[in-house]
Amino acid sequence: MFVSVNGVRLFVDVENAGLVPAGDTMREKPTLLLLHGGPGFDHSALKPLFSGLSDVAQVVYYDHRGNGRSEDGERSAWTLAQWGDDVKGLCDALGLVRPIVLGMSWGGYVAQSYATRHPDHPGKLVLVSTAAKFEFPAVFERFGHLGGPEAARIAEAYWTAPTAERRADFIRVCGPLYRRTPSDPEAMRRAVIRHDTALHFNGPENEQGRMDFRSALAGLRCPVLVMAGDHDPVSPIAFSETIVASLPPDRVRFERFAECGHGVFGDAPERASAILRDFIVTGS
């Protein structure tokens, strides 16, 4: 379905009921709002990873503006501020109160924008394999460590000056290095990919190079779960350590995955899902 938010129609999908029978009453489950990675991808990679949480949460997926099946709007509004405000706007449109917002990879940038711009709105926040500030040299080094000189060269070529040709090379050579276990080859074919959105955002001369949430994270008021893999090349573990150090220490839980790459749910689905489930239920 499509929901009008801040002047654009966002594609939204909802999995399972939010209000369920429980004896002689109705029990309201919390809402887990999922922010996909990219930019330029859609929510499809999150399915069916989060279906197993249907007993403890209603799961809501959507495609960000300029991504997937959602409308573009003005390209001048393809900013983290607008994408973050869209999270709040979507919650208002759907009547979601105190949502649990999970942002994975680039979706984690959007989640930080939302939470720092609207600190009283989220019930809980989950940041998976993401960054408060993108340190380009660390990414080049990690790709080189995992894939050798060619991977380092191609990663540096793309991230320092993104073009469509360099992006194609990056996906071909560096994409397989994201995870420790092989990805589903059909997942990429299922996705609605918008390379123009990635080229608009990525690189040191674009907003990716300017973003820095480190100081703003200190103002968050909700519980925050940070999850990251030791072998992540595009969001090295140090990025998540920086997020943790920037958050109020009494609000943050950090889960490190020793044998995982980017996203952690792909490499360790059972452990990652168990940790998220516990956080949804207990909040800590």
Side-chain angles (χ1 to χ4, degrees):
M1 64 179 173
F2 287 90
V3 178
S4 294
V5 175
N6 296 329
V8 298
R9 294 167 69 243
L10 301 182
F11 179 83
V12 179
D13 205 3
V14 179
E15 191 164 35
N16 63 74
L19 194 64
V20 296
D24 61 355
T25 188
M26 297 295 287
R27 175 174 63 90
E28 186 174 3
K29 291 184 290 187
T31 298
L32 177 64
L33 179 61
L34 299 174
L35 312 187
H36 68 78
F41 282 80
D42 66 355
H43 74 281
S44 64
L46 303 175
K47 295 175 175 176
L49 282 172
F50 294 90
S51 298
L53 297 167
S54 62
D55 60 321
V56 294
Q58 182 180 51
V59 182
V60 178
Y61 310 85
Y62 81 99
D63 295 344
H64 305 277
R65 70 169 63 213
N67 290 256
R69 297 160 181 81
S70 291
E71 291 182 344
D72 286 0
E74 295 293 331
R75 291 198 176 204
S76 60
W78 288 3
T79 66
L80 287 174
Q82 184 62 67
W83 282 311
D85 286 349
D86 285 348
V87 178
K88 170 66 162 56
L90 178 61
C91 290
D92 290 346
L94 296 178
L96 303 182
V97 179
R98 306 293 289 171
I100 302 168
V101 176
L102 183 151
M104 187 177 296
S105 189
W106 174 77
Y109 308 167
V110 178
Q112 291 174 84
S113 172
Y114 151 73
T116 55
R117 292 170 66 82
H118 307 279
D120 293 320
H121 193 264
K124 301 171 188 175
L125 191 68
V126 185
L127 301 175
V128 183
S129 302
T130 190
K133 180 174 175 57
F134 197 88
E135 302 288 355
F136 292 90
V139 172
F140 309 152
E141 189 279 329
R142 286 304 300 165
F143 275 111
H145 177 78
L146 293 174
E150 182 189 21
R153 176 184 62 80
I154 288 174
E156 184 170 2
Y158 174 67
W159 290 107
T160 53
T163 66
E165 181 179 9
R166 290 176 177 180
R167 180 170 172 80
D169 287 341
F170 176 79
I171 291 172
R172 175 178 56 83
V173 174
C174 297
L177 303 174
Y178 272 51
R179 285 173 48 177
R180 304 286 281 177
T181 55
S183 300
D184 177 2
E186 294 183 340
M188 187 70 80
R189 293 194 289 270
R190 287 195 298 266
V192 177
I193 302 175
R194 292 285 307 275
H195 297 293
D196 55 331
T197 311
L199 297 176
H200 172 88
F201 180 83
N202 288 343
E205 300 303 316
N206 296 322
E207 190 172 13
Q208 185 176 35
R210 300 188 297 272
M211 74 170 199
D212 188 348
F213 293 108
R214 291 175 296 180
S215 61
L217 288 174
L220 294 194
R221 304 184 180 103
C222 65
V224 184
L225 170 63
V226 179
M227 308 169 75
D230 274 343
H231 297 281
D232 188 339
V234 74
S235 296
I237 191 72
F239 290 8
S240 289
E241 292 171 342
T242 296
I243 290 174
V244 171
S246 301
L247 287 162
D250 61 333
R251 304 292 175 91
V252 63
R253 172 179 173 181
F254 183 31
E255 294 288 346
R256 184 172 186 147
F257 291 71
E259 296 302 321
C260 291
H262 192 61
V264 305
F265 282 88
D267 283 336
E270 291 184 3
R271 183 189 168 206
S273 294
I275 289 170
L276 178 57
R277 171 184 292 271
D278 181 68
F279 184 70
I280 291 171
V281 173
T282 69
S284 61

